[in-house]
Amino acid sequence: MIDYQNFFTQNLQTLKTEGRYRIFADLERRVGQAPYAIWHAPNGEKKTVVVWCSNDYLGMSHHPEVIKAFQDAAAYHGVGAGGTRNISGTSRLHVELESTLAELHQKQSALVFSSGYAANEAALSALGEGLPNVVFFSDEKNHASMIQGMRHSQAEKYVFRHNNMQDLRQKLAAVDRGRPKIIAVVSVYSMDGDFAPLAQICDLAQEFNALTYVDEVHAVGIYGPKGNGMAAEQGVLDRVDIIQGNFAKAYGVVGGYITGTQSVIDYVRSYASGFIFTTSLPPATAAAAHKSIEILKGNSIYRQQLWQNVRYLKQQLRQSRVRFVDSASHIVPVVVGDAFACQYLSQTLLHDFHMYAQPINYPTVPRGQERLRLTVTPAHTFSLIDHLVETLDSLWSGMPLRQAA
Protein backbone atom coordinates (compact mmCIF):
# COMPACT_ATOMS: atom_id res chain seq x y z
CA MET A 1 0.00 0.00 0.00
CA ILE A 2 1.20 3.47 -0.82
CA ASP A 3 2.42 5.74 1.94
CA TYR A 4 0.83 8.97 0.71
CA GLN A 5 2.69 11.36 2.99
CA ASN A 6 6.01 9.71 2.21
CA PHE A 7 5.31 10.04 -1.51
CA PHE A 8 4.68 13.78 -1.20
CA THR A 9 7.69 14.30 1.07
CA GLN A 10 10.06 12.42 -1.23
CA ASN A 11 8.96 14.35 -4.29
CA LEU A 12 9.35 17.67 -2.50
CA GLN A 13 12.80 16.57 -1.38
CA THR A 14 13.71 15.87 -5.00
CA LEU A 15 12.93 19.47 -5.87
CA LYS A 16 15.07 20.68 -2.99
CA THR A 17 17.95 18.37 -3.94
CA GLU A 18 17.87 19.69 -7.51
CA GLY A 19 17.70 23.31 -6.35
CA ARG A 20 14.25 23.76 -7.90
CA TYR A 21 12.15 24.11 -4.75
CA ARG A 22 10.32 27.41 -4.94
CA ILE A 23 10.63 29.83 -2.04
CA PHE A 24 8.00 32.56 -2.04
CA ALA A 25 8.94 36.02 -0.88
CA ASP A 26 6.29 37.43 1.45
CA LEU A 27 5.89 40.90 -0.02
CA GLU A 28 3.64 43.79 0.89
CA ARG A 29 3.17 46.12 -2.06
CA ARG A 30 1.81 49.56 -1.19
CA VAL A 31 0.11 52.03 -3.48
CA GLY A 32 2.39 54.85 -4.57
CA GLN A 33 5.59 53.21 -3.32
CA ALA A 34 6.56 51.14 -6.39
CA PRO A 35 9.07 49.75 -7.17
CA TYR A 36 9.58 49.31 -3.42
CA ALA A 37 7.78 46.72 -1.32
CA ILE A 38 7.92 45.53 2.28
CA TRP A 39 9.48 42.08 2.62
CA HIS A 40 8.38 40.03 5.62
CA ALA A 41 11.56 38.04 6.24
CA PRO A 42 11.43 34.51 7.73
CA ASN A 43 12.83 35.84 11.01
CA GLY A 44 9.87 38.20 11.35
CA GLU A 45 11.70 41.38 10.35
CA LYS A 46 10.23 43.81 7.85
CA LYS A 47 12.61 45.19 5.24
CA THR A 48 12.12 47.51 2.29
CA VAL A 49 13.17 45.86 -0.97
CA VAL A 50 13.26 46.87 -4.65
CA VAL A 51 11.19 44.59 -6.87
CA TRP A 52 12.91 43.65 -10.15
CA CYS A 53 10.64 40.91 -11.48
CA SER A 54 7.09 42.24 -11.51
CA ASN A 55 4.75 41.61 -14.43
CA ASP A 56 3.02 44.89 -13.56
CA TYR A 57 5.10 46.32 -16.38
CA LEU A 58 3.66 49.83 -16.43
CA GLY A 59 2.67 50.15 -12.78
CA MET A 60 -1.01 50.36 -13.67
CA SER A 61 -2.08 48.41 -10.58
CA HIS A 62 -1.18 51.56 -8.60
CA HIS A 63 -2.74 54.07 -11.02
CA PRO A 64 -5.22 56.24 -9.08
CA GLU A 65 -7.87 56.15 -11.83
CA VAL A 66 -7.69 52.36 -12.07
CA ILE A 67 -7.97 52.04 -8.29
CA LYS A 68 -10.94 54.44 -8.23
CA ALA A 69 -12.70 52.50 -10.99
CA PHE A 70 -12.30 49.33 -8.94
CA GLN A 71 -13.49 50.97 -5.72
CA ASP A 72 -16.51 52.65 -7.33
CA ALA A 73 -17.58 49.45 -9.08
CA ALA A 74 -17.15 47.37 -5.92
CA ALA A 75 -19.19 49.86 -3.92
CA TYR A 76 -21.95 49.78 -6.56
CA HIS A 77 -21.93 46.11 -7.70
CA GLY A 78 -20.35 44.31 -4.74
CA VAL A 79 -17.14 42.29 -4.69
CA GLY A 80 -18.38 39.10 -6.38
CA ALA A 81 -19.83 38.28 -9.79
CA GLY A 82 -22.75 36.20 -8.51
CA GLY A 83 -21.97 33.05 -10.47
CA THR A 84 -20.94 31.80 -13.87
CA ARG A 85 -21.74 33.89 -16.93
CA ASN A 86 -24.45 31.38 -17.86
CA ILE A 87 -26.29 31.56 -14.55
CA SER A 88 -26.11 35.00 -12.95
CA GLY A 89 -22.58 36.20 -13.48
CA THR A 90 -22.90 38.36 -16.60
CA SER A 91 -22.59 42.02 -15.70
CA ARG A 92 -23.03 45.04 -17.90
CA LEU A 93 -19.38 45.76 -17.09
CA HIS A 94 -18.35 42.45 -18.70
CA VAL A 95 -20.27 43.34 -21.86
CA GLU A 96 -18.72 46.79 -22.06
CA LEU A 97 -15.23 45.41 -21.47
CA GLU A 98 -15.66 42.82 -24.23
CA SER A 99 -16.84 45.52 -26.63
CA THR A 100 -13.72 47.59 -25.89
CA LEU A 101 -11.45 44.57 -26.35
CA ALA A 102 -13.00 43.75 -29.73
CA GLU A 103 -12.45 47.34 -30.83
CA LEU A 104 -8.90 47.39 -29.46
CA HIS A 105 -7.91 44.37 -31.57
CA GLN A 106 -10.15 45.26 -34.53
CA LYS A 107 -12.16 42.07 -34.18
CA GLN A 108 -15.88 41.37 -34.24
CA SER A 109 -16.17 39.96 -30.75
CA ALA A 110 -14.37 39.20 -27.48
CA LEU A 111 -14.83 36.96 -24.44
CA VAL A 112 -13.51 37.60 -20.92
CA PHE A 113 -12.15 34.83 -18.67
CA SER A 114 -11.02 34.70 -15.06
CA SER A 115 -7.34 34.53 -16.09
CA GLY A 116 -5.06 34.33 -19.10
CA TYR A 117 -4.34 30.71 -18.26
CA ALA A 118 -8.06 29.93 -18.23
CA ALA A 119 -8.54 31.70 -21.56
CA ASN A 120 -5.81 29.66 -23.29
CA GLU A 121 -6.73 26.34 -21.73
CA ALA A 122 -10.45 26.69 -22.36
CA ALA A 123 -10.29 28.16 -25.87
CA LEU A 124 -7.68 25.79 -27.29
CA SER A 125 -9.33 22.80 -25.64
CA ALA A 126 -12.73 23.68 -27.09
CA LEU A 127 -11.30 24.29 -30.55
CA GLY A 128 -9.30 21.07 -30.48
CA GLU A 129 -12.24 19.00 -29.26
CA GLY A 130 -14.72 20.50 -31.69
CA LEU A 131 -12.99 20.93 -35.03
CA PRO A 132 -13.16 17.53 -36.76
CA ASN A 133 -9.74 15.87 -37.17
CA VAL A 134 -7.96 19.15 -36.36
CA VAL A 135 -4.16 19.37 -36.06
CA PHE A 136 -2.33 21.84 -33.81
CA PHE A 137 1.04 23.29 -34.80
CA SER A 138 2.61 24.57 -31.60
CA ASP A 139 5.84 26.51 -31.08
CA GLU A 140 8.11 24.56 -28.72
CA LYS A 141 8.28 27.52 -26.33
CA ASN A 142 4.54 28.08 -25.98
CA HIS A 143 3.14 28.79 -22.52
CA ALA A 144 2.05 25.93 -20.27
CA SER A 145 -1.58 27.05 -20.50
CA MET A 146 -1.53 26.65 -24.29
CA ILE A 147 0.14 23.25 -24.04
CA GLN A 148 -2.42 22.13 -21.48
CA GLY A 149 -5.34 23.30 -23.62
CA MET A 150 -4.09 21.42 -26.67
CA ARG A 151 -3.28 18.33 -24.60
CA HIS A 152 -6.70 18.37 -22.95
CA SER A 153 -8.42 18.40 -26.35
CA GLN A 154 -6.58 15.18 -27.31
CA ALA A 155 -6.19 16.55 -30.83
CA GLU A 156 -3.13 15.67 -32.88
CA LYS A 157 -0.26 18.10 -32.35
CA TYR A 158 3.02 18.89 -34.07
CA VAL A 159 5.61 20.91 -32.15
CA PHE A 160 7.87 23.00 -34.38
CA ARG A 161 11.25 24.44 -33.46
CA HIS A 162 11.07 27.85 -31.87
CA ASN A 163 10.33 30.58 -34.44
CA ASN A 164 11.62 28.25 -37.19
CA MET A 165 9.42 28.90 -40.19
CA GLN A 166 11.10 26.24 -42.33
CA ASP A 167 10.31 23.60 -39.71
CA LEU A 168 6.73 24.88 -39.44
CA ARG A 169 6.34 24.76 -43.22
CA GLN A 170 7.62 21.19 -43.39
CA LYS A 171 5.22 20.06 -40.69
CA LEU A 172 2.28 21.82 -42.31
CA ALA A 173 3.12 20.28 -45.67
CA ALA A 174 3.22 16.79 -44.13
CA VAL A 175 -0.46 16.98 -43.15
CA ASP A 176 -3.33 16.55 -45.57
CA ARG A 177 -4.40 19.97 -46.84
CA GLY A 178 -8.03 19.17 -46.23
CA ARG A 179 -7.61 18.75 -42.47
CA PRO A 180 -8.39 21.70 -40.16
CA LYS A 181 -5.23 23.25 -38.73
CA ILE A 182 -4.42 25.74 -35.96
CA ILE A 183 -1.02 27.43 -35.63
CA ALA A 184 -0.55 28.48 -32.00
CA VAL A 185 2.23 30.86 -30.97
CA VAL A 186 3.15 33.55 -28.44
CA SER A 187 3.88 37.04 -29.74
CA VAL A 188 6.40 37.98 -27.01
CA TYR A 189 8.04 34.98 -25.36
CA SER A 190 8.36 35.81 -21.68
CA MET A 191 11.48 33.79 -20.83
CA ASP A 192 13.73 34.94 -23.69
CA GLY A 193 12.02 38.17 -24.65
CA ASP A 194 11.99 37.43 -28.39
CA PHE A 195 9.17 38.00 -30.87
CA ALA A 196 7.21 35.62 -33.07
CA PRO A 197 7.49 36.39 -36.84
CA LEU A 198 3.76 36.91 -37.14
CA ALA A 199 3.71 38.00 -40.80
CA GLN A 200 5.48 34.81 -41.89
CA ILE A 201 3.19 32.73 -39.71
CA CYS A 202 0.15 34.37 -41.27
CA ASP A 203 1.58 33.71 -44.75
CA LEU A 204 1.94 30.01 -43.95
CA ALA A 205 -1.53 29.92 -42.40
CA GLN A 206 -2.99 31.39 -45.58
CA GLU A 207 -1.05 28.97 -47.78
CA PHE A 208 -2.08 25.88 -45.80
CA ASN A 209 -5.58 27.04 -44.80
CA ALA A 210 -4.86 27.19 -41.06
CA LEU A 211 -6.27 29.33 -38.28
CA THR A 212 -3.81 31.47 -36.32
CA TYR A 213 -3.97 31.68 -32.52
CA VAL A 214 -1.65 34.24 -30.92
CA ASP A 215 -1.03 34.68 -27.19
CA GLU A 216 -0.39 38.39 -26.62
CA VAL A 217 -0.31 38.48 -22.81
CA HIS A 218 3.20 39.99 -22.58
CA ALA A 219 2.53 42.40 -25.45
CA VAL A 220 -0.83 44.06 -24.84
CA GLY A 221 -0.55 47.45 -23.20
CA ILE A 222 3.09 47.84 -24.30
CA TYR A 223 3.31 47.20 -28.05
CA GLY A 224 1.19 48.60 -30.85
CA PRO A 225 0.02 52.19 -31.36
CA LYS A 226 -2.70 51.86 -28.72
CA GLY A 227 -1.13 49.13 -26.65
CA ASN A 228 -3.02 46.66 -28.84
CA GLY A 229 -0.20 44.17 -29.05
CA MET A 230 2.52 42.79 -31.28
CA ALA A 231 0.10 41.88 -34.07
CA ALA A 232 -0.66 45.60 -34.37
CA GLU A 233 3.03 46.47 -33.99
CA GLN A 234 3.91 44.13 -36.87
CA GLY A 235 0.98 45.25 -39.01
CA VAL A 236 -0.89 41.94 -39.14
CA LEU A 237 -3.79 42.60 -36.79
CA ASP A 238 -6.31 41.86 -39.54
CA ARG A 239 -4.58 38.58 -40.44
CA VAL A 240 -4.53 36.93 -37.00
CA ASP A 241 -7.69 34.92 -36.45
CA ILE A 242 -7.72 34.61 -32.64
CA ILE A 243 -5.85 36.88 -30.23
CA GLN A 244 -5.59 35.95 -26.57
CA GLY A 245 -4.54 38.46 -23.96
CA ASN A 246 -4.83 39.22 -20.29
CA PHE A 247 -5.12 42.08 -17.83
CA ALA A 248 -2.54 40.81 -15.32
CA LYS A 249 0.61 42.17 -16.99
CA ALA A 250 0.80 45.69 -18.44
CA TYR A 251 -2.80 46.46 -17.48
CA GLY A 252 -2.07 45.74 -13.84
CA VAL A 253 -5.27 43.91 -12.91
CA VAL A 254 -6.27 40.23 -13.42
CA GLY A 255 -8.23 38.22 -15.96
CA GLY A 256 -7.89 37.04 -19.54
CA TYR A 257 -9.70 37.18 -22.86
CA ILE A 258 -9.84 36.09 -26.47
CA THR A 259 -10.92 38.10 -29.51
CA GLY A 260 -11.87 37.01 -33.03
CA THR A 261 -14.83 36.69 -35.35
CA GLN A 262 -18.33 36.60 -33.93
CA SER A 263 -18.72 32.92 -34.80
CA VAL A 264 -15.46 31.67 -33.27
CA ILE A 265 -15.97 33.62 -30.04
CA ASP A 266 -19.57 32.47 -29.76
CA TYR A 267 -18.41 28.89 -30.38
CA VAL A 268 -15.88 29.06 -27.52
CA ARG A 269 -18.50 30.73 -25.30
CA SER A 270 -20.92 27.92 -26.02
CA TYR A 271 -18.58 24.91 -25.86
CA ALA A 272 -15.60 25.69 -23.59
CA SER A 273 -16.13 24.01 -20.22
CA GLY A 274 -13.40 26.19 -18.71
CA PHE A 275 -15.63 29.17 -19.44
CA ILE A 276 -19.07 27.67 -18.89
CA PHE A 277 -18.41 26.27 -15.42
CA THR A 278 -16.21 29.02 -13.94
CA THR A 279 -17.44 31.93 -11.85
CA SER A 280 -16.99 35.08 -13.88
CA LEU A 281 -14.60 37.93 -13.25
CA PRO A 282 -15.87 40.26 -10.48
CA PRO A 283 -17.47 43.39 -12.00
CA ALA A 284 -15.06 45.64 -10.08
CA THR A 285 -12.12 43.84 -11.66
CA ALA A 286 -13.68 44.27 -15.09
CA ALA A 287 -14.13 47.99 -14.40
CA ALA A 288 -10.49 48.37 -13.35
CA ALA A 289 -9.27 46.49 -16.44
CA HIS A 290 -11.49 48.62 -18.65
CA LYS A 291 -10.13 51.83 -17.17
CA SER A 292 -6.52 50.67 -17.56
CA ILE A 293 -7.11 49.82 -21.22
CA GLU A 294 -8.68 53.21 -21.88
CA ILE A 295 -5.79 55.04 -20.22
CA LEU A 296 -3.12 53.17 -22.18
CA LYS A 297 -5.02 53.53 -25.46
CA GLY A 298 -4.83 57.27 -25.25
CA ASN A 299 -1.56 57.90 -23.39
CA SER A 300 1.86 56.63 -24.45
CA ILE A 301 3.84 58.30 -21.65
CA TYR A 302 4.00 55.12 -19.56
CA ARG A 303 5.33 53.13 -22.51
CA GLN A 304 7.90 55.83 -23.24
CA GLN A 305 9.12 55.80 -19.64
CA LEU A 306 9.29 52.00 -19.66
CA TRP A 307 11.41 51.90 -22.81
CA GLN A 308 13.73 54.60 -21.50
CA ASN A 309 14.48 52.41 -18.49
CA VAL A 310 14.72 49.21 -20.54
CA ARG A 311 17.30 50.78 -22.85
CA TYR A 312 19.30 52.07 -19.90
CA LEU A 313 19.29 48.70 -18.11
CA LYS A 314 20.55 46.90 -21.21
CA GLN A 315 23.16 49.58 -21.81
CA GLN A 316 24.54 49.13 -18.31
CA LEU A 317 24.44 45.34 -18.49
CA ARG A 318 26.45 45.40 -21.72
CA GLN A 319 29.25 47.06 -19.80
CA SER A 320 29.21 44.40 -17.08
CA ARG A 321 30.25 40.75 -16.85
CA VAL A 322 26.65 39.63 -16.40
CA ARG A 323 25.36 37.22 -19.06
CA PHE A 324 21.95 38.32 -20.28
CA VAL A 325 19.73 37.90 -23.33
CA ASP A 326 19.91 41.19 -25.24
CA SER A 327 16.55 40.88 -26.98
CA ALA A 328 14.49 43.63 -28.57
CA SER A 329 11.74 43.35 -25.97
CA HIS A 330 11.18 44.82 -22.52
CA ILE A 331 12.09 41.50 -20.86
CA VAL A 332 15.70 41.12 -19.71
CA PRO A 333 16.69 37.54 -18.82
CA VAL A 334 19.93 37.12 -16.84
CA VAL A 335 21.03 33.58 -17.70
CA VAL A 336 22.77 31.84 -14.80
CA GLY A 337 22.67 28.31 -16.16
CA ASP A 338 22.53 26.36 -12.89
CA ALA A 339 19.63 25.87 -10.48
CA PHE A 340 21.67 26.16 -7.27
CA ALA A 341 23.60 29.18 -8.52
CA CYS A 342 20.39 30.85 -9.63
CA GLN A 343 18.81 30.28 -6.24
CA TYR A 344 21.97 31.52 -4.54
CA LEU A 345 22.00 34.69 -6.61
CA SER A 346 18.33 35.39 -5.95
CA GLN A 347 18.60 34.80 -2.21
CA THR A 348 21.81 36.86 -1.92
CA LEU A 349 20.21 39.77 -3.72
CA LEU A 350 17.21 39.60 -1.40
CA HIS A 351 18.89 38.96 1.96
CA ASP A 352 22.07 41.02 1.54
CA PHE A 353 21.10 43.76 -0.90
CA HIS A 354 17.29 44.00 -0.50
CA MET A 355 16.60 43.39 -4.19
CA TYR A 356 13.91 40.92 -5.21
CA ALA A 357 14.35 38.88 -8.41
CA GLN A 358 12.83 35.41 -8.35
CA PRO A 359 14.79 32.48 -9.87
CA ILE A 360 13.31 30.77 -12.95
CA ASN A 361 14.06 27.04 -13.11
CA TYR A 362 12.98 23.89 -14.94
CA PRO A 363 10.33 23.18 -16.18
CA THR A 364 9.64 26.85 -16.92
CA VAL A 365 12.98 26.91 -18.78
CA PRO A 366 15.16 23.97 -19.87
CA ARG A 367 17.77 22.61 -17.47
CA GLY A 368 20.96 24.59 -17.90
CA GLN A 369 19.01 27.73 -18.79
CA GLU A 370 18.09 28.79 -15.24
CA ARG A 371 17.81 32.54 -14.96
CA LEU A 372 16.59 35.67 -13.31
CA ARG A 373 13.96 37.44 -15.36
CA LEU A 374 14.45 41.18 -14.86
CA THR A 375 11.69 43.65 -15.62
CA VAL A 376 11.98 47.37 -15.08
CA THR A 377 8.98 49.69 -14.83
CA PRO A 378 8.48 53.43 -15.28
CA ALA A 379 8.89 53.74 -11.48
CA HIS A 380 12.50 52.52 -11.45
CA THR A 381 15.23 55.15 -11.61
CA PHE A 382 18.63 55.16 -13.32
CA SER A 383 20.21 55.17 -9.87
CA LEU A 384 18.37 51.99 -8.89
CA ILE A 385 19.35 50.37 -12.19
CA ASP A 386 23.00 51.30 -11.64
CA HIS A 387 22.94 49.74 -8.18
CA LEU A 388 21.35 46.54 -9.49
CA VAL A 389 23.88 46.11 -12.28
CA GLU A 390 26.84 46.90 -10.02
CA THR A 391 25.59 44.33 -7.50
CA LEU A 392 25.02 41.65 -10.14
CA ASP A 393 28.44 42.31 -11.61
CA SER A 394 30.15 41.97 -8.22
CA LEU A 395 28.32 38.71 -7.45
CA TRP A 396 28.87 37.24 -10.90
CA SER A 397 32.60 36.69 -10.40
CA GLY A 398 32.18 34.92 -7.07
CA MET A 399 31.27 31.39 -6.09
CA PRO A 400 29.12 29.58 -6.96
CA LEU A 401 28.37 31.77 -9.99
CA ARG A 402 31.84 31.31 -11.45
CA GLN A 403 30.88 27.75 -12.34
CA ALA A 404 27.82 28.91 -14.29
CA ALA A 405 29.18 32.02 -15.98
Side-chain angles (χ1 to χ4, degrees):
M1 295 178 65
I2 187 171
D3 183 336
Y4 294 106
Q5 300 311 312
N6 185 57
F7 170 83
F8 299 136
T9 300
Q10 286 185 352
N11 278 268
L12 288 171
Q13 185 57 47
T14 298
L15 293 179
K16 294 175 181 178
T17 301
E18 295 177 357
R20 297 193 294 121
Y21 183 75
R22 289 174 171 85
I23 302 171
F24 292 164
D26 185 354
L27 297 180
E28 183 179 327
R29 300 170 68 224
R30 297 181 178 177
V31 172
Q33 296 186 14
Y36 297 97
I38 304 300
W39 173 46
H40 293 254
N43 63 4
E45 293 185 34
K46 295 182 181 180
K47 299 180 180 180
T48 300
V49 299
V50 181
V51 178
W52 288 103
C53 56
S54 174
N55 283 343
D56 187 9
Y57 295 134
L58 300 176
M60 295 303 290
S61 70
H62 290 193
H63 195 289
E65 292 182 46
V66 176
I67 294 171
K68 186 176 187 303
F70 183 93
Q71 292 172 330
D72 289 349
Y76 187 87
H77 297 278
V79 297
T84 67
R85 290 285 294 273
N86 300 287
I87 297 177
S88 60
T90 295
S91 163
R92 181 62 191 169
L93 296 181
H94 294 123
V95 176
E96 292 173 352
L97 176 58
E98 288 167 345
S99 177
T100 292
L101 289 167
E103 185 274 332
L104 179 70
H105 293 290
Q106 298 176 24
K107 302 299 181 188
Q108 294 176 355
S109 188
L111 189 66
V112 170
F113 292 78
S114 57
S115 71
Y117 190 107
N120 271 334
E121 198 279 335
L124 288 168
S125 179
L127 293 169
E129 288 175 343
L131 281 166
N133 208 23
V134 69
V135 185
F136 284 112
F137 297 85
S138 175
D139 189 287
E140 66 178 341
K141 292 191 176 182
N142 275 344
H143 191 265
S145 59
M146 302 173 74
I147 296 169
Q148 183 61 26
M150 289 180 272
R151 179 184 295 135
H152 185 262
S153 76
Q154 299 184 1
E156 187 175 355
K157 181 179 72 172
Y158 289 87
V159 178
F160 62 92
R161 293 194 297 275
H162 179 54
N163 279 348
N164 189 315
M165 295 299 98
Q166 182 178 356
D167 190 36
L168 174 57
R169 167 179 283 280
Q170 290 174 348
K171 286 179 167 58
L172 285 163
V175 175
D176 186 279
R177 286 181 177 265
R179 292 183 65 179
K181 305 172 186 68
I182 300 175
I183 303 173
V185 300
V186 176
S187 66
V188 180
Y189 288 89
S190 64
M191 290 299 112
D192 290 324
D194 55 341
F195 305 141
L198 296 180
Q200 296 177 60
I201 290 169
C202 289
D203 289 343
L204 288 172
Q206 182 176 356
E207 180 179 350
F208 290 94
N209 191 32
L211 289 174
T212 49
Y213 184 103
V214 179
D215 177 315
E216 290 258 44
V217 298
H218 291 277
V220 290
I222 297 176
Y223 301 88
K226 297 180 180 179
N228 46 355
M230 186 54 64
E233 182 89 5
Q234 295 186 13
V236 294
L237 200 56
D238 60 329
R239 302 181 65 194
V240 175
D241 295 300
I242 303 167
I243 289 176
Q244 182 267 347
N246 77 357
F247 313 122
K249 307 295 190 297
Y251 292 127
V253 193
V254 70
Y257 64 89
I258 59 171
T259 66
T261 62
Q262 178 67 40
S263 60
V264 74
I265 299 304
D266 199 17
Y267 179 87
V268 172
R269 183 189 71 86
S270 301
Y271 283 92
S273 62
F275 173 81
I276 295 170
F277 298 105
T278 300
T279 298
S280 61
L281 208 64
T285 303
H290 200 168
K291 175 57 69 173
S292 186
I293 292 168
E294 291 295 339
I295 292 170
L296 293 179
K297 277 174 58 180
N299 191 339
S300 63
I301 185 63
Y302 303 104
R303 291 191 285 276
Q304 293 170 9
Q305 292 170 344
L306 170 69
W307 284 111
Q308 176 180 277
N309 284 342
V310 169
R311 286 190 293 268
Y312 187 74
L313 172 59
K314 293 179 179 179
Q315 171 190 306
Q316 298 306 95
L317 283 171
R318 291 187 196 108
Q319 300 173 33
S320 74
R321 290 167 290 186
V322 178
R323 182 173 61 175
F324 75 104
V325 180
D326 196 355
S327 72
S329 80
H330 62 288
I331 296 166
V332 185
V334 170
V335 181
V336 180
D338 175 83
F340 284 103
C342 194
Q343 189 176 78
Y344 162 82
L345 180 56
S346 174
Q347 290 298 300
T348 302
L349 286 172
L350 182 60
H351 288 266
D352 296 349
F353 298 95
H354 301 162
M355 301 176 186
Y356 174 59
Q358 188 74 345
I360 307 294
N361 297 318
Y362 176 84
T364 307
V365 295
R367 298 180 193 275
Q369 290 292 312
E370 291 83 2
R371 65 195 58 195
L372 303 181
R373 179 181 171 277
L374 302 181
T375 53
V376 292
T377 70
H380 287 89
T381 64
F382 283 8
S383 176
L384 288 174
I385 293 172
D386 286 339
H387 186 39
L388 171 68
V389 174
E390 290 166 3
T391 304
L392 285 171
D393 189 54
S394 67
L395 292 172
W396 203 262
S397 61
M399 291 295 291
L401 294 175
R402 186 183 299 124
Q403 300 173 0

